[in-house]
Amino acid sequence: MILITRPKKDSLELQEELKKLKINSIVQELSTFKISKSRTDLSNSIILITSLRSIDYLVKTKTLETCKSSKFLVIGKLTAQRLRQLGCKNIIITASDSGDLLIQLKRNLKKNEIIKFLCSNIFNKELVKSLKKLSYNVELLKVYETHGIKKIKKSVVQKLKNHNLTAVIFFSQFSLRVFLNLCKVEKIDRATLKKLHYICISKRVADPAIRSGFNVHLSNKPTKASIIKLVHNYFA
């Protein structure tokens, strides 16, 4: 059995897809989100979006109306697709991950431009550092908050302690860190954690598990489809 750690809606969608492959799974959300209510003028801006939650902010606060003519830098095809559906057509870069974004920026954006990064209190600091090294001015606009949950469900703890779980899927490093910290709280020993397979969407996400010497599997691409393929190859 596999544990899925995405937000509930995303987890349930992934669970259905795994079910079609006859792979059993359970869901444990590890984070919650709170969208900011303050509206920001983003007209005539260069906007970096790496999460669908940032788009939720644009919609909820009606900030979207101020930035439809702005330029967008986007990580993730689904994120770019949703922006287009909402009428934001000027997407100058759609990148698969932060590394791809940096490569494309060198070709498509002049140095010293101001990039407004719509992010959370938890964001990719390495990406920001790399952008600054490329001589871009990065303005952090924290448009939503990410918080880790306080406790793992009792049913999940029981399955961990009884060795009923084979693998855990992670799409974010934050979720992986929350999982490991809560396992300590629940006194789940290292031997149990070492038996698990950690399925991660990228090496950056997997870093805490790699440093701990755990059994890590990385998807070939930072996409849900690649994660599903990886799970199917190893656990179907």
Side-chain angles (χ1 to χ4, degrees):
M1 184 173 286
I2 291 174
L3 179 65
I4 304 171
T5 64
R6 302 200 79 186
K8 188 174 182 179
K9 181 176 178 291
D10 299 325
S11 285
L12 293 175
E13 288 175 0
L14 180 53
Q15 188 175 45
E16 280 301 309
E17 294 187 61
L18 293 180
K19 190 177 180 180
K20 291 174 186 175
L21 299 172
K22 298 182 179 179
I23 297 172
N24 293 326
S25 62
I26 57 173
V27 172
Q28 171 66 72
E29 289 182 276
L30 293 172
S31 55
T32 59
F33 306 98
K34 184 179 179 182
I35 307 295
S36 171
K37 293 180 181 179
S38 61
R39 197 174 184 214
T40 306
D41 184 0
L42 294 171
S43 56
N44 302 313
S45 302
I46 299 171
I47 304 166
L48 171 59
I49 292 183
T50 63
S51 167
L52 286 168
R53 246 112 3 225
S54 294
I55 300 179
D56 291 340
Y57 161 79
L58 294 178
V59 174
K60 184 177 179 180
T61 60
K62 298 182 180 178
T63 305
L64 190 70
E65 302 306 316
T66 72
C67 62
K68 285 190 175 179
S69 61
S70 293
K71 296 177 180 178
F72 287 88
L73 315 172
V74 182
I75 293 180
K77 286 184 179 179
L78 287 177
T79 306
Q81 182 182 338
R82 189 169 177 213
L83 271 176
R84 289 192 184 95
Q85 289 170 344
L86 291 168
C88 300
K89 308 293 186 184
N90 197 8
I91 301 174
I92 60 174
I93 292 175
T94 299
S96 59
D97 55 26
S98 55
D100 184 30
L101 174 72
L102 294 170
I103 291 169
Q104 292 194 55
L105 275 173
K106 292 177 185 178
R107 300 194 301 262
N108 294 290
L109 195 65
K110 294 177 182 178
K111 291 182 178 181
N112 299 316
E113 291 278 17
I114 298 172
I115 297 174
K116 295 182 179 180
F117 183 9
L118 303 191
C119 61
S120 166
N121 54 311
I122 307 296
F123 62 93
N124 188 341
K125 294 180 176 64
E126 294 168 21
L127 172 58
V128 173
K129 188 176 178 182
S130 297
L131 289 170
K132 289 179 177 178
K133 277 188 178 180
L134 291 175
S135 299
Y136 295 115
N137 298 303
V138 182
E139 184 179 333
L140 296 177
L141 299 176
K142 295 179 182 179
V143 297
Y144 67 98
E145 294 177 6
T146 305
H147 300 285
I149 62 164
K150 303 298 182 184
K151 212 168 186 182
I152 299 175
K153 290 185 288 191
K154 287 182 180 180
S155 59
V156 175
V157 171
Q158 205 62 42
K159 282 181 169 57
L160 282 164
K161 290 184 175 179
N162 292 337
H163 307 289
N164 297 137
L165 292 176
T166 306
V168 190
I169 298 175
F170 294 100
F171 281 73
S172 80
Q173 188 184 104
F174 179 74
S175 292
L176 177 48
R177 291 188 185 280
V178 170
F179 176 76
L180 295 177
N181 287 336
L182 292 179
C183 283
K184 285 182 183 178
V185 171
E186 296 293 345
K187 296 181 171 55
I188 296 167
D189 59 40
R190 181 176 170 80
T192 298
L193 294 175
K194 283 201 78 171
K195 288 180 181 178
L196 290 171
H197 295 264
Y198 296 77
I199 302 168
C200 301
I201 199 165
S202 70
K203 189 175 181 181
R204 178 180 174 274
V205 168
D207 185 64
I210 293 171
R211 289 175 181 270
S212 297
F214 294 155
N215 193 3
V216 173
H217 303 268
L218 301 177
S219 62
N220 289 330
K221 296 178 181 178
T223 63
K224 182 174 73 171
S226 186
I227 284 281
I228 292 170
K229 185 177 180 181
L230 178 61
V231 172
H232 181 255
N233 289 344
Y234 277 92
F235 305 103

